[in-house]
Amino acid sequence: MSAPIVLLLHGPNLNLLGEREPAIYGSDTLDDYVAFTTASAERHGLALEAFQSNHEGELIDHIHGARGRCAAIVINPGAFTHYSWAIHDALSAFDGVKVEVHISNPNAREPWRHTSVVAPVATGSIMGFGKHGYDLAIRAVAAKLGL
Ligand code: CA2
């Protein structure tokens, strides 16, 4: 049987990883994050698809496209985390495992980052562990799927 698919989504500005704000987000690029998460997925018998967009609607289209096709979504919604009820609603219509991941710990930053409108519809949230959070997310997906 083919490996269950995990959809890895990144939201706005995360295409700039490695280019600016290394003190907060480190020096790894988005490609490094995707390669790191792909390797983790393969170790756990999962296949990974990755997509980044600066556009809310494109992220929603990909969440819809995962319905009935992907076993899990790992999503770092970027700043959409804090106000996109549209992403909240799209995720609530996805029946698989949903992991919210953040590179930094938004709760230790500005007050406007302390609210996540995605967290209530996520299976769980991982934040503050940099790149390792993505490995933790894949491990959590594998455990939830019984792999
Ligand atoms: O810590 C995270 O992963 C965040 O989701 C990153 C978002 C931020 O709005 C969230 O509060 C927490 C911001 C992504 C911006 O990424 C940049 C990366 C490099 C240079 C500039 C921005």
Side-chain angles (χ1 to χ4, degrees), residues 52-78:
Q52 185 275 333
S53 180
N54 296 319
H55 305 278
E56 189 177 26
E58 287 189 350
L59 293 165
I60 291 165
D61 287 345
H62 276 71
I63 294 167
H64 290 174
R67 296 175 71 226
R69 194 178 68 80
C70 298
I73 295 176
V74 173
I75 183 167
N76 182 341

Side-chain angles (χ1 to χ4, degrees), residues 10-22 24-26 28 33 75-82 100-107 109-110 112-115 126-128 130 134:
H10 282 97
N13 298 308
L14 288 160
N15 55 309
L16 298 179
L17 281 169
E19 290 182 26
R20 292 185 53 231
E21 307 210 54
I24 299 174
Y25 299 115
D28 287 310
Y33 274 81
I75 183 167
N76 182 341
F80 285 147
T81 303
H82 312 299
E100 175 193 12
V101 179
H102 297 286
I103 297 164
S104 67
N105 178 358
N107 292 313
R109 300 178 64 190
E110 304 94 319
W112 63 267
R113 295 186 202 271
H114 297 184
T115 298
I126 296 167
M127 59 193 79
Y134 289 74

